[in-house]
Amino acid sequence: MQHTLEEFLRALRAAEVLVSPAEAIDAHKAVAQVGYQDRQLLKDALCATLAKGEDEVVRFDRTFDIFFSRPAFTPRRKDSAPPKEQPPLPEAEGSRLVEMLLSDDGSGLSQAMEEAARETRVTDIRLSTQRSRVTRRMLGAMGFDEIEQAINAARGRGDSPGEELAEQLEEGRRTLLAEATRYVGRQQELYAADGGKLSREEVLAKKALDAMDLDAHDIAAMQAMVRKMAKRLAERYSRRRRKAKKGDLDVRRTLQRSMAYGGIPFVPMWKYEKQDRPEIVVICDVSNSVAAAAKFLLTLLYSLNEAVERMDAFAFSSHLISVNDVLKDNTVEQAIVEVLKRIAFQQTNYGQALQDFCDQHLHEVNRHTTVIILGDGRTNFIDPRMDLMQMIQQRSRAVIWLNPEDESRWGSGDSVMHRYARFCHVAKTCNSLGQLERIVEDVLRSYSPH
């Protein structure tokens, strides 16, 4: 039964229930105490041992129900009883599979399928396109070809009992094939569904945020990916760590510690530096060309509450407005709609937006503040106010400009991005979730002492 538990732990990991080696040991101890007889007791014991948080409990329940469900084989029709006094079938002699089909031995067939699945490593399935091949391989290990031989032998008799026997075996073969297909489907759902999901996420992470072929399902998946990114980044950067600066000896604390060893400095003590949490100001162009990227950036940043000390968000088209209250009272999707109602469908004016920010909010920018600007830098040939960009750069810790357009287009037409870039510590193309995550992580990492 140890193999069963190990396979279950593997299925949990595929379902994004994180199971550490220590928790796996605890699970083995819990099973040793409660056993497998009482299904509900087993489920409760493993859930208490392995699931952490409400989301993991939901995923645990689903995985447990699928993994430990063993639907019985569908019995053959009652009106298909085998004929009396069947002559022997020489071609099927010694075929345990044929005997189980003729006797309707459902438990035996289930056990044979489990053994064949282990032998052919069905749990290694990764893609739905592999289902047919894996099913055929598993049935082959069970002796599926022996059924065909028995059917041909029964029909070769040329009598009525032989025909009835052949029909019975045909029905059993169809039932076995259907059960094997369902079994492989459950294994694929347990062990490979997450792999397919990850493959899809890899594609979406590289997809342009303003791509025209994104449907509602893709957008929902990308929103879920953004929240997952935020959780991962928050866990990595949320704590106020105190990290030692290796090589910078704290003489006073070292001497104090050495008193326990007769004044000999056996334990060197190092100086420590406090890790600050980021203060971020976000200025987003919400015109049609940039609105999609703005939505995902705001979703990511507003999901980083634990890792960010302060986050102020502003949006502009012609004039700039604060969107902090809108984001607090609504989801990001609803907030974007509300912001668009207020300031969208107006001529984009970067100069006016920078003027509004400096007049009303520049005093909130200091040496701890990272300013993130999201926009394409296209000013409609209006004064871009480079003097205001210089003021923001001088007051802030860093200015990071994220531009959804490819760098080869900077400076073309009404774009003055190449001029704005001179006043930015970082200016990068950012038009995918993968790029967005890397840039935000770079911002968070910059607050960590080195």
Side-chain angles (χ1 to χ4, degrees):
M1 298 303 286
Q2 180 178 352
H3 174 78
T4 300
L5 182 56
E6 289 173 353
E7 288 296 311
F8 176 62
L9 297 179
R10 183 180 159 204
L12 284 177
R13 293 186 178 104
E16 298 185 61
V17 177
L18 302 180
V19 180
S20 67
E23 290 169 340
I25 293 173
D26 291 340
H28 280 278
K29 291 179 179 178
V31 172
Q33 292 292 323
V34 303
Y36 288 91
Q37 292 77 16
D38 190 325
R39 177 188 175 93
Q40 189 60 47
L41 181 60
L42 173 66
K43 182 177 182 179
D44 292 342
L46 289 176
C47 184
T49 305
L50 301 171
K52 304 167 289 295
E54 185 176 347
D55 291 342
E56 287 199 357
V57 169
V58 173
R59 291 193 289 271
F60 174 91
D61 288 342
R62 177 179 174 276
T63 304
F64 183 94
D65 292 339
I66 296 174
F67 184 89
F68 287 101
S69 63
R70 294 294 187 271
F73 271 68
T74 305
R76 59 182 173 83
R77 296 193 308 267
K78 295 180 180 180
D79 60 352
S80 61
K84 301 177 182 179
E85 298 182 2
Q86 300 173 17
L89 295 174
E91 294 82 358
E93 286 183 1
S95 173
R96 180 166 169 260
L97 182 61
V98 172
E99 293 176 358
M100 288 188 292
L101 285 176
L102 292 175
S103 61
D104 261 355
D105 186 0
S107 60
L109 289 168
S110 296
Q111 183 176 354
M113 189 171 291
E114 294 279 354
E115 293 172 356
R118 282 195 294 271
E119 179 183 339
T120 56
R121 301 180 64 85
V122 171
T123 56
D124 288 344
I125 187 172
R126 286 294 173 268
L127 302 173
S128 58
T129 54
Q130 296 175 309
R131 284 191 182 188
S132 297
R133 179 166 54 85
V134 171
T135 302
R136 288 195 303 270
R137 191 169 65 232
M138 184 180 70
L139 287 172
M142 293 180 67
F144 197 66
D145 293 341
E146 298 169 358
I147 304 176
E148 185 67 28
Q149 295 173 5
I151 291 173
N152 292 335
R155 285 188 173 145
R157 294 175 181 174
D159 54 13
S160 178
E163 283 298 323
E164 292 180 5
L165 185 58
E167 289 180 8
Q168 182 182 343
L169 289 173
E170 282 277 11
E171 184 179 355
R173 181 173 64 174
R174 288 192 297 269
T175 300
L176 181 61
L177 178 60
E179 294 294 341
T181 301
R182 281 194 288 270
Y183 180 89
V184 172
R186 288 199 304 272
Q187 304 312 300
Q188 196 263 341
E189 186 176 2
L190 279 171
Y191 298 103
D194 190 56
K197 178 181 176 183
L198 291 177
S199 298
R200 181 59 179 159
E201 288 184 353
E202 290 174 0
V203 173
L204 291 176
K206 300 176 182 178
K207 195 81 170 177
L209 299 178
D210 56 354
M212 299 300 294
D213 59 343
L214 289 175
D215 56 22
H217 179 74
D218 288 338
I219 293 174
M222 292 170 74
Q223 291 285 6
M225 289 170 60
V226 167
R227 288 188 285 271
K228 189 186 300 183
M229 289 177 186
K231 182 178 180 181
R232 180 167 59 247
L233 293 174
E235 289 175 349
R236 188 175 302 166
Y237 296 103
S238 61
R239 298 188 185 89
R240 289 179 177 270
R241 300 180 181 88
R242 294 176 62 86
K243 295 187 176 181
K245 293 180 65 177
K246 298 294 185 181
D248 194 355
L249 185 67
D250 189 328
V251 178
R252 181 181 62 82
R253 295 177 65 230
T254 299
L255 292 177
Q256 288 178 342
R257 178 63 66 89
S258 69
M259 297 301 292
Y261 306 101
I264 302 174
F266 280 117
V267 183
M269 304 298 292
W270 308 98
K271 289 185 178 180
Y272 288 84
E273 183 175 317
K274 184 178 179 180
Q275 173 182 337
D276 294 326
R277 292 201 299 174
E279 296 182 9
I280 297 176
V281 170
V282 187
I283 303 174
C284 291
D285 179 358
V286 292
S287 59
N288 290 336
S289 59
V290 199
K295 178 171 66 176
F296 287 110
L297 174 62
L298 291 173
T299 300
L300 178 58
L301 291 175
Y302 259 83
S303 300
L304 283 171
N305 293 329
E306 296 180 0
V308 177
E309 184 74 29
R310 176 175 66 89
M311 213 279 277
D312 292 327
F314 303 91
F316 73 91
S317 183
S318 60
H319 291 273
L320 178 137
I321 64 170
S322 172
V323 296
N324 289 333
D325 294 338
V326 180
L327 286 166
K328 289 177 182 177
D329 298 336
N330 304 275
T331 64
V332 174
E333 294 83 355
Q334 295 169 335
I336 290 292
V337 173
E338 182 63 29
V339 170
L340 290 176
K341 288 180 181 178
R342 298 184 187 181
I343 60 175
F345 312 112
Q346 302 174 23
Q347 187 179 38
T348 304
N349 188 335
Y350 277 79
Q352 183 61 54
L354 292 174
Q355 180 70 62
D356 293 342
F357 178 78
C358 291
D359 289 346
Q360 303 170 28
H361 307 285
L362 187 61
H363 64 279
E364 300 174 7
V365 177
N366 54 52
R367 64 184 183 86
H368 299 291
T369 308
T370 296
V371 178
I372 299 177
I373 302 175
L374 178 68
D376 55 14
R378 295 192 174 274
T379 62
N380 292 307
F381 302 105
I382 301 172
D383 184 4
R385 298 301 303 270
M386 294 297 168
D387 56 320
L388 300 179
M389 272 297 298
Q390 185 175 18
M391 289 175 57
I392 295 173
Q393 179 206 36
Q394 291 172 347
R395 290 183 61 93
S396 63
R397 177 190 180 105
V399 176
I400 299 174
W401 194 301
L402 309 182
N403 192 325
E405 289 189 349
D406 190 82
E407 193 168 348
S408 61
R409 300 179 60 190
W410 295 5
S412 65
D414 61 344
S415 171
V416 295
M417 187 61 219
H418 60 300
R419 296 176 59 191
Y420 280 133
R422 292 182 299 170
F423 301 103
C424 300
H425 297 81
V426 176
K428 289 185 177 181
T429 297
C430 180
N431 194 25
S432 71
L433 293 185
Q435 293 171 336
L436 184 60
E437 180 183 21
R438 286 192 294 272
I439 293 170
V440 172
E441 182 169 15
D442 287 343
V443 172
L444 298 178
R445 189 186 297 115
S446 69
Y447 285 81
S448 304
H450 301 286

